[in-house]
Amino acid sequence: MNKEITKHIEAQLKELNLKGMLSCYRDMAEKAAVNKLSYEEYLSLLLEEEIKGRKERSVKAKIYKARVPFVKTLEEFDFSFQPDLGEKELMRLGSLDFIENKENLVFLGPPGVGKTHLAVGFCIKACQAKYRVLFMSTQKLIEDLMMCVRDGSLTKRLLYYSRLHLLVIDEIGYMPITKEQANLLYQLISMRYEKGSIILTSNYSFEDWGKVFQDDVVAAAIIDRIVHHARIFYINGASYRLKNKLKNKTLRG
Ligand code: ADP
Ligand code: MG
C-alpha cells in the first residue's frame, strides 16, 4: 500500500474516531486482495468490524460504570457445586425478564456460596443488554446515603438510584446497621418498589433481619417491599472458597 495513502487514511479514520476500522483495514485489505473481494464486500467487512468493536467498548464501559467488584458471568458459575440451586430457573432469569417486570432477586446463604458471583453475573448480562446497572455493597450504599443526608442532596440521590434498571445491594447484615441507616435503606427500597429491580444478597435469613436492622418494624417493611415481587434463592451448599482447601486437606490426610 502506498505510504502517502496509508497516512492519509489513518489520519481520517482517527479524525472520525473509527478505531475498529483503523486497527484492521490494512490486514483486511490484504485478505480482500488475496480472496478477490469486491470493494463493496471489503467495505462491508470493515463496517462490521467497527460496529463489533463499538459494541464491545460500550458494554465494557457499562460494566465499569456498574462498579461490579469482579467480572464473572452466570455461565462461569459451577451449578454442579450447588446442585440444590435451580440452574434452569437461574439461567432462564438470564433472559432478564425480571428487569422488564421490575421484579427482585434475593440470594440468601452463608459466606462463599456464590451470592455475589450470581449478582455480578446478572449485572454483566444487564450491561450487555444496555440496562442502567449499579452494584453497591450495603456498606458503601449506606455511606453514600449518609453523606447525602449531611450535604442535603438525599432527594436528588434517591432519584438517581430509582432511575437505575438494576440495583444490587450486596451483603446485607455484614456490618451492623443503625436505625437511621435502616430508615435510609427503607426509603431507597420504597422508592424503587415496582419501579426497578433490586438484587439483594445476605448471610442472614429474613427472620434475623430484625437484629440486623436493630428494628423489627423497619426490617418487616423492607422485607415486605422486597419480597412482594421477588424470586428468593436459599443457597445452603458448601463454600466454594473452601472447596480446594478442603480437597487439599483430604489429600494430605
Ligand atoms: P458469597 O457472596 O456467597 O460470599 P462469592 O460469590 O463472593 O460468595 O464467591 C466466592 C468466590 O467463589 C468467588 O470468586 C466466586 O466466583 C466463587 N464461586 C462461588 N461459588 C461458585 C460456583 N458455584 N461456581 C464458580 N465459582 C464460584
Ligand atoms: Mg458476597
Side-chain angles (χ1 to χ4, degrees), residues 70 72 76-79 81-82 109-118 170-171 201 203 240-241:
F70 50 78
K72 287 199 183 176
E76 284 172 89
F77 194 82
D78 178 3
F79 284 93
F81 195 72
Q82 301 293 352
V113 292
K115 302 180 298 295
T116 301
H117 183 142
L118 290 168
D170 193 38
E171 290 185 338
T201 81
N203 293 344
Y240 198 83
R241 286 195 190 101

Side-chain angles (χ1 to χ4, degrees), residues 108-109 137-139 142 169-186 189 200-220 222-223:
L108 302 176
S137 68
T138 308
Q139 179 75 2
I142 286 174
I169 307 178
D170 193 38
E171 290 185 338
I172 284 207
Y174 187 69
M175 297 285 280
I177 295 171
T178 66
K179 273 193 182 184
E180 186 196 358
Q181 293 169 343
N183 252 308
L184 286 171
L185 272 184
Y186 169 74
I189 286 164
L200 206 146
T201 81
S202 181
N203 293 344
Y204 288 88
S205 59
F206 289 132
E207 300 90 75
D208 295 324
W209 281 30
K211 266 184 261 155
V212 170
F213 290 104
Q214 300 182 47
D215 185 324
D216 287 337
V217 180
V218 178
I222 289 178
I223 293 168

Side-chain angles (χ1 to χ4, degrees), residues 21 24 28 32 37 39-50:
M21 282 168 87
C24 72
M28 277 200 176
L37 297 190
Y39 295 124
E40 288 87 347
E41 282 170 321
Y42 172 60
L43 180 60
S44 160
L45 286 175
L46 277 187
L47 291 170
E48 248 173 49
E49 203 57 34
E50 179 62 36

Side-chain angles (χ1 to χ4, degrees), residues 3 6 45 48 52 84 150 190 201 230 240 246 252:
K3 255 193 181 162
T6 304
L45 286 175
E48 248 173 49
K52 199 175 105 198
D84 296 337
R150 284 196 292 274
S190 295
T201 81
Y240 198 83
L246 292 177
R252 274 190 230 117

Side-chain angles (χ1 to χ4, degrees), residues 49-60:
E49 203 57 34
E50 179 62 36
I51 290 169
K52 199 175 105 198
R54 275 184 192 213
K55 277 189 184 152
E56 279 168 12
R57 285 196 299 279
S58 132
V59 169
K60 250 190 183 168

